[in-house]
PDB file of all heavy atoms in Angstrom:
ATOM      1  N   ALA A   1      67.423  54.912 286.312  1.00 96.00           N
ATOM      2  CA  ALA A   1      66.864  54.082 285.242  1.00 96.00           C
ATOM      3  C   ALA A   1      67.933  53.194 284.622  1.00 96.00           C
ATOM      4  O   ALA A   1      67.701  52.006 284.369  1.00 96.00           O
ATOM      5  CB  ALA A   1      66.229  54.971 284.174  1.00 96.00           C
ATOM      6  N   ALA A   2      69.103  53.756 284.370  1.00 95.00           N
ATOM      7  CA  ALA A   2      70.188  52.982 283.768  1.00 95.00           C
ATOM      8  C   ALA A   2      70.639  51.866 284.709  1.00 95.00           C
ATOM      9  O   ALA A   2      70.865  50.722 284.285  1.00 95.00           O
ATOM     10  CB  ALA A   2      71.363  53.901 283.435  1.00 95.00           C
ATOM     11  N   LEU A   3      70.758  52.187 285.983  1.00 96.00           N
ATOM     12  CA  LEU A   3      71.178  51.188 286.967  1.00 96.00           C
ATOM     13  C   LEU A   3      70.164  50.055 287.052  1.00 96.00           C
ATOM     14  O   LEU A   3      70.538  48.871 287.104  1.00 96.00           O
ATOM     15  CB  LEU A   3      71.348  51.846 288.331  1.00 96.00           C
ATOM     16  CG  LEU A   3      71.768  50.930 289.494  1.00 96.00           C
ATOM     17  CD1 LEU A   3      73.145  50.334 289.234  1.00 96.00           C
ATOM     18  CD2 LEU A   3      71.768  51.715 290.810  1.00 96.00           C
ATOM     19  N   ALA A   4      68.882  50.392 287.034  1.00 95.00           N
ATOM     20  CA  ALA A   4      67.830  49.377 287.167  1.00 95.00           C
ATOM     21  C   ALA A   4      67.820  48.398 286.008  1.00 95.00           C
ATOM     22  O   ALA A   4      67.449  47.233 286.176  1.00 95.00           O
ATOM     23  CB  ALA A   4      66.468  50.051 287.289  1.00 95.00           C
ATOM     24  N   THR A   5      68.244  48.839 284.817  1.00 95.00           N
ATOM     25  CA  THR A   5      68.266  47.922 283.681  1.00 95.00           C
ATOM     26  C   THR A   5      69.327  46.841 283.856  1.00 95.00           C
ATOM     27  O   THR A   5      69.280  45.812 283.171  1.00 95.00           O
ATOM     28  CB  THR A   5      68.532  48.662 282.350  1.00 95.00           C
ATOM     29  OG1 THR A   5      69.817  49.285 282.397  1.00 95.00           O
ATOM     30  CG2 THR A   5      67.466  49.688 282.076  1.00 95.00           C
ATOM     31  N   CYS A   6      70.270  47.070 284.772  1.00 96.00           N
ATOM     32  CA  CYS A   6      71.296  46.065 285.072  1.00 96.00           C
ATOM     33  C   CYS A   6      70.986  45.291 286.348  1.00 96.00           C
ATOM     34  O   CYS A   6      71.122  44.061 286.391  1.00 96.00           O
ATOM     35  CB  CYS A   6      72.665  46.735 285.209  1.00 96.00           C
ATOM     36  SG  CYS A   6      73.292  47.469 283.693  1.00 96.00           S
ATOM     37  N   THR A   7      70.565  45.990 287.395  1.00 95.00           N
ATOM     38  CA  THR A   7      70.362  45.323 288.678  1.00 95.00           C
ATOM     39  C   THR A   7      69.178  44.366 288.661  1.00 95.00           C
ATOM     40  O   THR A   7      69.218  43.312 289.305  1.00 95.00           O
ATOM     41  CB  THR A   7      70.161  46.347 289.805  1.00 95.00           C
ATOM     42  OG1 THR A   7      69.077  47.226 289.468  1.00 95.00           O
ATOM     43  CG2 THR A   7      71.427  47.178 290.019  1.00 95.00           C
ATOM     44  N   GLY A   8      68.124  44.703 287.923  1.00 94.00           N
ATOM     45  CA  GLY A   8      66.968  43.818 287.855  1.00 94.00           C
ATOM     46  C   GLY A   8      67.312  42.451 287.279  1.00 94.00           C
ATOM     47  O   GLY A   8      67.074  41.416 287.911  1.00 94.00           O
ATOM     48  N   PRO A   9      67.891  42.413 286.067  1.00 96.00           N
ATOM     49  CA  PRO A   9      68.281  41.125 285.495  1.00 96.00           C
ATOM     50  C   PRO A   9      69.341  40.401 286.324  1.00 96.00           C
ATOM     51  O   PRO A   9      69.298  39.170 286.452  1.00 96.00           O
ATOM     52  CB  PRO A   9      68.838  41.512 284.118  1.00 96.00           C
ATOM     53  CG  PRO A   9      68.181  42.791 283.792  1.00 96.00           C
ATOM     54  CD  PRO A   9      68.046  43.505 285.097  1.00 96.00           C
ATOM     55  N   ALA A  10      70.284  41.142 286.877  1.00 96.00           N
ATOM     56  CA  ALA A  10      71.344  40.516 287.668  1.00 96.00           C
ATOM     57  C   ALA A  10      70.772  39.842 288.910  1.00 96.00           C
ATOM     58  O   ALA A  10      71.146  38.715 289.256  1.00 96.00           O
ATOM     59  CB  ALA A  10      72.389  41.554 288.065  1.00 96.00           C
ATOM     60  N   SER A  11      69.847  40.510 289.581  1.00 95.00           N
ATOM     61  CA  SER A  11      69.210  39.932 290.762  1.00 95.00           C
ATOM     62  C   SER A  11      68.418  38.692 290.385  1.00 95.00           C
ATOM     63  O   SER A  11      68.423  37.683 291.109  1.00 95.00           O
ATOM     64  CB  SER A  11      68.290  40.974 291.413  1.00 95.00           C
ATOM     65  OG  SER A  11      67.594  40.419 292.505  1.00 95.00           O
ATOM     66  N   ALA A  12      67.737  38.750 289.236  1.00 95.00           N
ATOM     67  CA  ALA A  12      66.962  37.598 288.779  1.00 95.00           C
ATOM     68  C   ALA A  12      67.881  36.422 288.470  1.00 95.00           C
ATOM     69  O   ALA A  12      67.539  35.263 288.736  1.00 95.00           O
ATOM     70  CB  ALA A  12      66.159  37.981 287.538  1.00 95.00           C
ATOM     71  N   ALA A  13      69.052  36.703 287.913  1.00 97.00           N
ATOM     72  CA  ALA A  13      69.990  35.638 287.562  1.00 97.00           C
ATOM     73  C   ALA A  13      70.456  34.874 288.796  1.00 97.00           C
ATOM     74  O   ALA A  13      70.668  33.659 288.744  1.00 97.00           O
ATOM     75  CB  ALA A  13      71.194  36.222 286.823  1.00 97.00           C
ATOM     76  N   ILE A  14      70.611  35.587 289.905  1.00 96.00           N
ATOM     77  CA  ILE A  14      71.010  34.923 291.150  1.00 96.00           C
ATOM     78  C   ILE A  14      69.969  33.892 291.548  1.00 96.00           C
ATOM     79  O   ILE A  14      70.294  32.756 291.926  1.00 96.00           O
ATOM     80  CB  ILE A  14      71.204  35.965 292.261  1.00 96.00           C
ATOM     81  CG1 ILE A  14      72.393  36.874 291.944  1.00 96.00           C
ATOM     82  CG2 ILE A  14      71.417  35.281 293.615  1.00 96.00           C
ATOM     83  CD1 ILE A  14      72.544  38.048 292.901  1.00 96.00           C
ATOM     84  N   ARG A  15      68.699  34.269 291.432  1.00 95.00           N
ATOM     85  CA  ARG A  15      67.618  33.365 291.821  1.00 95.00           C
ATOM     86  C   ARG A  15      67.439  32.235 290.816  1.00 95.00           C
ATOM     87  O   ARG A  15      67.131  31.105 291.183  1.00 95.00           O
ATOM     88  CB  ARG A  15      66.329  34.169 291.960  1.00 95.00           C
ATOM     89  CG  ARG A  15      66.374  35.202 293.075  1.00 95.00           C
ATOM     90  CD  ARG A  15      65.233  36.197 293.006  1.00 95.00           C
ATOM     91  NE  ARG A  15      63.918  35.567 293.153  1.00 95.00           N
ATOM     92  CZ  ARG A  15      62.772  36.223 293.066  1.00 95.00           C
ATOM     93  NH1 ARG A  15      62.787  37.537 292.802  1.00 95.00           N
ATOM     94  NH2 ARG A  15      61.614  35.596 293.220  1.00 95.00           N
ATOM     95  N   LEU A  16      67.630  32.531 289.551  1.00 96.00           N
ATOM     96  CA  LEU A  16      67.382  31.537 288.506  1.00 96.00           C
ATOM     97  C   LEU A  16      68.513  30.523 288.369  1.00 96.00           C
ATOM     98  O   LEU A  16      68.272  29.354 288.077  1.00 96.00           O
ATOM     99  CB  LEU A  16      67.183  32.247 287.167  1.00 96.00           C
ATOM    100  CG  LEU A  16      65.891  33.064 287.015  1.00 96.00           C
ATOM    101  CD1 LEU A  16      66.016  34.020 285.847  1.00 96.00           C
ATOM    102  CD2 LEU A  16      64.699  32.136 286.826  1.00 96.00           C
ATOM    103  N   LEU A  17      69.754  30.987 288.573  1.00 97.00           N
ATOM    104  CA  LEU A  17      70.913  30.137 288.326  1.00 97.00           C
ATOM    105  C   LEU A  17      71.685  29.762 289.588  1.00 97.00           C
ATOM    106  O   LEU A  17      72.636  28.979 289.518  1.00 97.00           O
ATOM    107  CB  LEU A  17      71.872  30.848 287.352  1.00 97.00           C
ATOM    108  CG  LEU A  17      71.331  31.090 285.941  1.00 97.00           C
ATOM    109  CD1 LEU A  17      72.257  32.030 285.172  1.00 97.00           C
ATOM    110  CD2 LEU A  17      71.168  29.774 285.201  1.00 97.00           C
ATOM    111  N   GLY A  18      71.276  30.316 290.726  1.00 96.00           N
ATOM    112  CA  GLY A  18      71.975  30.013 291.963  1.00 96.00           C
ATOM    113  C   GLY A  18      73.393  30.562 291.982  1.00 96.00           C
ATOM    114  O   GLY A  18      74.304  29.949 292.559  1.00 96.00           O
ATOM    115  N   LEU A  19      73.609  31.726 291.355  1.00 97.00           N
ATOM    116  CA  LEU A  19      74.941  32.320 291.288  1.00 97.00           C
ATOM    117  C   LEU A  19      75.339  32.942 292.619  1.00 97.00           C
ATOM    118  O   LEU A  19      74.488  33.255 293.462  1.00 97.00           O
ATOM    119  CB  LEU A  19      74.980  33.387 290.188  1.00 97.00           C
ATOM    120  CG  LEU A  19      74.658  32.907 288.773  1.00 97.00           C
ATOM    121  CD1 LEU A  19      74.670  34.084 287.807  1.00 97.00           C
ATOM    122  CD2 LEU A  19      75.644  31.843 288.323  1.00 97.00           C
ATOM    123  N   ASP A  20      76.636  33.137 292.800  1.00 97.00           N
ATOM    124  CA  ASP A  20      77.167  33.782 294.001  1.00 97.00           C
ATOM    125  C   ASP A  20      76.759  35.260 293.979  1.00 97.00           C
ATOM    126  O   ASP A  20      77.181  36.006 293.080  1.00 97.00           O
ATOM    127  CB  ASP A  20      78.686  33.659 294.014  1.00 97.00           C
ATOM    128  CG  ASP A  20      79.336  34.360 295.202  1.00 97.00           C
ATOM    129  OD1 ASP A  20      78.610  34.943 296.040  1.00 97.00           O
ATOM    130  OD2 ASP A  20      80.576  34.327 295.292  1.00 97.00           O
ATOM    131  N   PRO A  21      75.944  35.717 294.920  1.00 97.00           N
ATOM    132  CA  PRO A  21      75.484  37.111 294.890  1.00 97.00           C
ATOM    133  C   PRO A  21      76.616  38.123 295.011  1.00 97.00           C
ATOM    134  O   PRO A  21      76.525  39.229 294.479  1.00 97.00           O
ATOM    135  CB  PRO A  21      74.523  37.195 296.083  1.00 97.00           C
ATOM    136  CG  PRO A  21      74.878  36.048 296.959  1.00 97.00           C
ATOM    137  CD  PRO A  21      75.365  34.972 296.057  1.00 97.00           C
ATOM    138  N   TYR A  22      77.693  37.743 295.693  1.00 98.00           N
ATOM    139  CA  TYR A  22      78.826  38.666 295.829  1.00 98.00           C
ATOM    140  C   TYR A  22      79.530  38.842 294.484  1.00 98.00           C
ATOM    141  O   TYR A  22      79.940  39.950 294.115  1.00 98.00           O
ATOM    142  CB  TYR A  22      79.803  38.149 296.879  1.00 98.00           C
ATOM    143  CG  TYR A  22      79.238  38.193 298.277  1.00 98.00           C
ATOM    144  CD1 TYR A  22      78.609  37.075 298.832  1.00 98.00           C
ATOM    145  CD2 TYR A  22      79.307  39.358 299.044  1.00 98.00           C
ATOM    146  CE1 TYR A  22      78.071  37.116 300.103  1.00 98.00           C
ATOM    147  CE2 TYR A  22      78.774  39.408 300.331  1.00 98.00           C
ATOM    148  CZ  TYR A  22      78.156  38.278 300.849  1.00 98.00           C
ATOM    149  OH  TYR A  22      77.624  38.324 302.118  1.00 98.00           O
ATOM    150  N   ALA A  23      79.668  37.750 293.755  1.00 97.00           N
ATOM    151  CA  ALA A  23      80.296  37.826 292.437  1.00 97.00           C
ATOM    152  C   ALA A  23      79.436  38.650 291.474  1.00 97.00           C
ATOM    153  O   ALA A  23      79.960  39.444 290.683  1.00 97.00           O
ATOM    154  CB  ALA A  23      80.507  36.420 291.881  1.00 97.00           C
ATOM    155  N   VAL A  24      78.124  38.467 291.547  1.00 97.00           N
ATOM    156  CA  VAL A  24      77.229  39.218 290.675  1.00 97.00           C
ATOM    157  C   VAL A  24      77.281  40.701 291.017  1.00 97.00           C
ATOM    158  O   VAL A  24      77.301  41.559 290.125  1.00 97.00           O
ATOM    159  CB  VAL A  24      75.788  38.677 290.783  1.00 97.00           C
ATOM    160  CG1 VAL A  24      74.812  39.583 290.022  1.00 97.00           C
ATOM    161  CG2 VAL A  24      75.719  37.258 290.236  1.00 97.00           C
ATOM    162  N   HIS A  25      77.343  41.018 292.305  1.00 96.00           N
ATOM    163  CA  HIS A  25      77.447  42.422 292.690  1.00 96.00           C
ATOM    164  C   HIS A  25      78.770  43.007 292.191  1.00 96.00           C
ATOM    165  O   HIS A  25      78.841  44.178 291.802  1.00 96.00           O
ATOM    166  CB  HIS A  25      77.349  42.557 294.208  1.00 96.00           C
ATOM    167  CG  HIS A  25      76.638  43.796 294.653  1.00 96.00           C
ATOM    168  ND1 HIS A  25      75.291  44.005 294.457  1.00 96.00           N
ATOM    169  CD2 HIS A  25      77.093  44.918 295.274  1.00 96.00           C
ATOM    170  CE1 HIS A  25      74.941  45.174 294.943  1.00 96.00           C
ATOM    171  NE2 HIS A  25      76.025  45.760 295.423  1.00 96.00           N
ATOM    172  N   GLY A  26      79.794  42.184 292.199  1.00 97.00           N
ATOM    173  CA  GLY A  26      81.078  42.632 291.694  1.00 97.00           C
ATOM    174  C   GLY A  26      81.039  42.964 290.214  1.00 97.00           C
ATOM    175  O   GLY A  26      81.621  43.956 289.773  1.00 97.00           O
ATOM    176  N   LEU A  27      80.340  42.157 289.434  1.00 96.00           N
ATOM    177  CA  LEU A  27      80.265  42.442 288.006  1.00 96.00           C
ATOM    178  C   LEU A  27      79.424  43.690 287.741  1.00 96.00           C
ATOM    179  O   LEU A  27      79.671  44.420 286.764  1.00 96.00           O
ATOM    180  CB  LEU A  27      79.754  41.229 287.228  1.00 96.00           C
ATOM    181  CG  LEU A  27      78.297  40.774 287.339  1.00 96.00           C
ATOM    182  CD1 LEU A  27      77.394  41.530 286.400  1.00 96.00           C
ATOM    183  CD2 LEU A  27      78.210  39.271 287.039  1.00 96.00           C
ATOM    184  N   LEU A  28      78.447  43.944 288.612  1.00 96.00           N
ATOM    185  CA  LEU A  28      77.690  45.191 288.480  1.00 96.00           C
ATOM    186  C   LEU A  28      78.588  46.389 288.743  1.00 96.00           C
ATOM    187  O   LEU A  28      78.467  47.429 288.086  1.00 96.00           O
ATOM    188  CB  LEU A  28      76.499  45.197 289.446  1.00 96.00           C
ATOM    189  CG  LEU A  28      75.335  44.272 289.099  1.00 96.00           C
ATOM    190  CD1 LEU A  28      74.305  44.255 290.226  1.00 96.00           C
ATOM    191  CD2 LEU A  28      74.670  44.692 287.791  1.00 96.00           C
ATOM    192  N   ALA A  29      79.502  46.239 289.704  1.00 97.00           N
ATOM    193  CA  ALA A  29      80.457  47.309 289.988  1.00 97.00           C
ATOM    194  C   ALA A  29      81.353  47.558 288.773  1.00 97.00           C
ATOM    195  O   ALA A  29      81.726  48.707 288.493  1.00 97.00           O
ATOM    196  CB  ALA A  29      81.301  46.948 291.207  1.00 97.00           C
ATOM    197  N   GLU A  30      81.689  46.495 288.053  1.00 97.00           N
ATOM    198  CA  GLU A  30      82.491  46.651 286.839  1.00 97.00           C
ATOM    199  C   GLU A  30      81.746  47.486 285.794  1.00 97.00           C
ATOM    200  O   GLU A  30      82.365  48.208 285.001  1.00 97.00           O
ATOM    201  CB  GLU A  30      82.814  45.283 286.243  1.00 97.00           C
ATOM    202  CG  GLU A  30      83.757  44.423 287.067  1.00 97.00           C
ATOM    203  CD  GLU A  30      83.938  43.051 286.438  1.00 97.00           C
ATOM    204  OE1 GLU A  30      83.833  42.947 285.194  1.00 97.00           O
ATOM    205  OE2 GLU A  30      84.160  42.082 287.182  1.00 97.00           O
ATOM    206  N   LEU A  31      80.432  47.373 285.801  1.00 97.00           N
ATOM    207  CA  LEU A  31      79.619  48.103 284.827  1.00 97.00           C
ATOM    208  C   LEU A  31      79.320  49.536 285.258  1.00 97.00           C
ATOM    209  O   LEU A  31      78.752  50.310 284.474  1.00 97.00           O
ATOM    210  CB  LEU A  31      78.297  47.367 284.593  1.00 97.00           C
ATOM    211  CG  LEU A  31      78.386  45.993 283.916  1.00 97.00           C
ATOM    212  CD1 LEU A  31      77.019  45.333 283.880  1.00 97.00           C
ATOM    213  CD2 LEU A  31      78.946  46.121 282.509  1.00 97.00           C
ATOM    214  N   ALA A  32      79.687  49.896 286.484  1.00 97.00           N
ATOM    215  CA  ALA A  32      79.359  51.224 287.009  1.00 97.00           C
ATOM    216  C   ALA A  32      79.827  52.365 286.099  1.00 97.00           C
ATOM    217  O   ALA A  32      79.063  53.315 285.864  1.00 97.00           O
ATOM    218  CB  ALA A  32      79.930  51.390 288.417  1.00 97.00           C
ATOM    219  N   PRO A  33      81.063  52.327 285.571  1.00 96.00           N
ATOM    220  CA  PRO A  33      81.471  53.423 284.679  1.00 96.00           C
ATOM    221  C   PRO A  33      80.583  53.541 283.439  1.00 96.00           C
ATOM    222  O   PRO A  33      80.278  54.656 282.987  1.00 96.00           O
ATOM    223  CB  PRO A  33      82.911  53.046 284.294  1.00 96.00           C
ATOM    224  CG  PRO A  33      83.392  52.200 285.422  1.00 96.00           C
ATOM    225  CD  PRO A  33      82.184  51.400 285.833  1.00 96.00           C
ATOM    226  N   GLU A  34      80.146  52.405 282.889  1.00 96.00           N
ATOM    227  CA  GLU A  34      79.274  52.449 281.727  1.00 96.00           C
ATOM    228  C   GLU A  34      77.885  52.978 282.094  1.00 96.00           C
ATOM    229  O   GLU A  34      77.255  53.691 281.306  1.00 96.00           O
ATOM    230  CB  GLU A  34      79.154  51.058 281.097  1.00 96.00           C
ATOM    231  CG  GLU A  34      80.466  50.543 280.519  1.00 96.00           C
ATOM    232  CD  GLU A  34      80.321  49.179 279.881  1.00 96.00           C
ATOM    233  OE1 GLU A  34      79.379  48.984 279.093  1.00 96.00           O
ATOM    234  OE2 GLU A  34      81.156  48.307 280.175  1.00 96.00           O
ATOM    235  N   ILE A  35      77.428  52.629 283.282  1.00 95.00           N
ATOM    236  CA  ILE A  35      76.145  53.146 283.761  1.00 95.00           C
ATOM    237  C   ILE A  35      76.221  54.667 283.901  1.00 95.00           C
ATOM    238  O   ILE A  35      75.300  55.396 283.519  1.00 95.00           O
ATOM    239  CB  ILE A  35      75.763  52.488 285.096  1.00 95.00           C
ATOM    240  CG1 ILE A  35      75.461  50.995 284.876  1.00 95.00           C
ATOM    241  CG2 ILE A  35      74.549  53.179 285.726  1.00 95.00           C
ATOM    242  CD1 ILE A  35      75.302  50.200 286.155  1.00 95.00           C
ATOM    243  N   GLU A  36      77.336  55.156 284.433  1.00 94.00           N
ATOM    244  CA  GLU A  36      77.526  56.599 284.579  1.00 94.00           C
ATOM    245  C   GLU A  36      77.572  57.284 283.216  1.00 94.00           C
ATOM    246  O   GLU A  36      77.027  58.370 283.041  1.00 94.00           O
ATOM    247  CB  GLU A  36      78.815  56.880 285.354  1.00 94.00           C
ATOM    248  CG  GLU A  36      78.713  56.612 286.847  1.00 94.00           C
ATOM    249  CD  GLU A  36      77.737  57.557 287.534  1.00 94.00           C
ATOM    250  OE1 GLU A  36      77.512  58.686 287.033  1.00 94.00           O
ATOM    251  OE2 GLU A  36      77.188  57.173 288.573  1.00 94.00           O
ATOM    252  N   THR A  37      78.225  56.645 282.257  1.00 93.00           N
ATOM    253  CA  THR A  37      78.312  57.234 280.920  1.00 93.00           C
ATOM    254  C   THR A  37      76.933  57.359 280.289  1.00 93.00           C
ATOM    255  O   THR A  37      76.582  58.402 279.723  1.00 93.00           O
ATOM    256  CB  THR A  37      79.218  56.380 280.016  1.00 93.00           C
ATOM    257  OG1 THR A  37      80.548  56.377 280.550  1.00 93.00           O
ATOM    258  CG2 THR A  37      79.250  56.928 278.600  1.00 93.00           C
ATOM    259  N   VAL A  38      76.148  56.296 280.399  1.00 92.00           N
ATOM    260  CA  VAL A  38      74.795  56.327 279.837  1.00 92.00           C
ATOM    261  C   VAL A  38      73.961  57.402 280.510  1.00 92.00           C
ATOM    262  O   VAL A  38      73.257  58.181 279.846  1.00 92.00           O
ATOM    263  CB  VAL A  38      74.120  54.944 279.988  1.00 92.00           C
ATOM    264  CG1 VAL A  38      72.617  55.038 279.696  1.00 92.00           C
ATOM    265  CG2 VAL A  38      74.763  53.938 279.059  1.00 92.00           C
ATOM    266  N   SER A  39      74.030  57.486 281.832  1.00 90.00           N
ATOM    267  CA  SER A  39      73.214  58.467 282.546  1.00 90.00           C
ATOM    268  C   SER A  39      73.671  59.897 282.272  1.00 90.00           C
ATOM    269  O   SER A  39      72.853  60.809 282.159  1.00 90.00           O
ATOM    270  CB  SER A  39      73.228  58.182 284.054  1.00 90.00           C
ATOM    271  OG  SER A  39      74.527  58.295 284.585  1.00 90.00           O
ATOM    272  N   SER A  40      74.971  60.111 282.148  1.00 86.00           N
ATOM    273  CA  SER A  40      75.469  61.469 281.922  1.00 86.00           C
ATOM    274  C   SER A  40      75.068  61.994 280.557  1.00 86.00           C
ATOM    275  O   SER A  40      74.881  63.201 280.374  1.00 86.00           O
ATOM    276  CB  SER A  40      76.990  61.508 282.058  1.00 86.00           C
ATOM    277  OG  SER A  40      77.612  60.774 281.021  1.00 86.00           O
ATOM    278  N   ARG A  41      74.908  61.088 279.597  1.00 79.00           N
ATOM    279  CA  ARG A  41      74.505  61.508 278.258  1.00 79.00           C
ATOM    280  C   ARG A  41      72.999  61.631 278.119  1.00 79.00           C
ATOM    281  O   ARG A  41      72.501  62.005 277.060  1.00 79.00           O
ATOM    282  CB  ARG A  41      75.034  60.507 277.231  1.00 79.00           C
ATOM    283  CG  ARG A  41      76.549  60.534 277.110  1.00 79.00           C
ATOM    284  CD  ARG A  41      77.052  59.465 276.179  1.00 79.00           C
ATOM    285  NE  ARG A  41      78.500  59.513 276.057  1.00 79.00           N
ATOM    286  CZ  ARG A  41      79.232  58.626 275.396  1.00 79.00           C
ATOM    287  NH1 ARG A  41      78.632  57.605 274.789  1.00 79.00           N
ATOM    288  NH2 ARG A  41      80.553  58.728 275.328  1.00 79.00           N
ATOM    289  N   SER A  42      72.269  61.317 279.181  1.00 72.00           N
ATOM    290  CA  SER A  42      70.802  61.334 279.117  1.00 72.00           C
ATOM    291  C   SER A  42      70.189  62.350 280.073  1.00 72.00           C
ATOM    292  O   SER A  42      68.974  62.443 280.156  1.00 72.00           O
ATOM    293  CB  SER A  42      70.255  59.944 279.473  1.00 72.00           C
ATOM    294  OG  SER A  42      70.826  58.949 278.671  1.00 72.00           O
ATOM    295  N   CYS A  43      71.022  63.131 280.786  1.00 61.00           N
ATOM    296  CA  CYS A  43      70.480  63.882 281.918  1.00 61.00           C
ATOM    297  C   CYS A  43      69.742  65.154 281.532  1.00 61.00           C
ATOM    298  O   CYS A  43      68.968  65.674 282.312  1.00 61.00           O
ATOM    299  CB  CYS A  43      71.586  64.209 282.920  1.00 61.00           C
ATOM    300  SG  CYS A  43      72.918  65.227 282.262  1.00 61.00           S
TER     301      CYS A  43
END
């Protein structure tokens, strides 16, 4: 659930703004520790 709240908008941004999908995937990787923190506190 936590991951989907980031990947959905990020994927949409690629289509809406014509962004580099590799760069967007990279920024999602940057958010991975925060995604883990949110999920670990909700499990």
